[in-house]
C-alpha cells in the first residue's frame, strides 16, 4: 500500500487537529477561500509536507480546529490528496463536499 493510501485509511473517521493557515475569506492570488483550509501537524503527505485539510461546517474564520476526518479528495494529477474535516456528528454528502471545495479543486 502506498503512503497516500495509508494516510487516508489511517485517518478516515478519526479525530484530528488542524492548524488553519487560510481561513474563510483569505485571498490567495485570485482565489478567495470560502472554507477554512489548513494542515494536520505531524502527518506527512505524499508531497513531503504536512497533510492539507479542508474544514467544512464552520463558517467563521478559524486559527485551529479539532474535528473528524469525513472524506478524502483524491487528486489524480498530484502526489497529495486533501482530507475533509468536519465537526463531530456533522455529515456531508459527496455533492456538498465537491461544491464546497470546487473553488480550489477545479484546477
Amino acid at each position: 500500500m502506498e503512503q497516500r493510501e495509508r494516510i487516508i485509511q489511517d485517518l478516515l473517521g478519526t479525530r484530528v487537529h488542524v492548524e488553519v493557515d487560510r481561513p474563510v475569506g483569505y485571498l490567495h492570488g485570485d482565489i478567495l477561500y470560502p472554507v477554512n483550509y489548513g494542515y494536520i501537524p505531524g502527518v506527512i503527505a505524499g508531497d513531503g509536507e504536512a497533510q492539507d485539510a479542508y474544514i467544512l461546517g464552520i463558517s467563521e474564520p478559524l486559527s485551529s480546529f479539532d474535528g473528524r476526518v469525513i472524506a478524502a479528495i483524491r487528486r489524480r494529477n498530484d502526489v497529495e490528496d486533501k482530507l475533509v474535516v468536519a465537526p463531530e456528528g456533522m455529515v456531508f454528502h459527496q455533492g456538498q463536499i465537491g461544491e464546497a471545495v470546487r473553488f480550489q479543486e477545479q484546477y
Side-chain angles (χ1 to χ4, degrees), residues 6-56:
R6 193 171 16 264
I7 290 169
I8 291 170
Q9 191 171 49
D10 289 349
L11 292 178
L12 198 58
T14 66
R15 288 189 54 78
V16 295
H17 176 79
V18 180
E19 287 295 325
V20 177
D21 54 7
R22 295 180 189 165
V24 169
Y26 181 86
L27 185 61
H28 181 73
D30 61 348
I31 298 175
L32 180 65
Y33 280 69
V35 299
N36 290 288
Y37 178 81
Y39 61 93
I40 301 170
V43 177
I44 303 302
D47 64 356
E49 300 291 327
Q51 176 64 56
D52 292 332
Y54 295 105
I55 300 169
L56 301 188

Side-chain angles (χ1 to χ4, degrees), residues 55-99:
I55 300 169
L56 301 188
I58 306 290
S59 59
E60 64 268 358
L62 299 171
S63 59
S64 65
F65 179 74
D66 293 311
R68 189 162 304 279
V69 177
I70 62 166
I73 297 170
R74 297 301 313 255
R75 298 177 117 200
R76 291 186 178 98
N77 61 348
D78 198 347
V79 296
E80 179 192 20
D81 300 316
K82 307 292 184 181
L83 297 180
V84 180
V85 179
E88 192 71 41
M90 194 170 274
V91 177
F92 294 89
H93 61 69
Q94 184 177 355
Q96 291 171 308
I97 294 170
E99 185 58 34

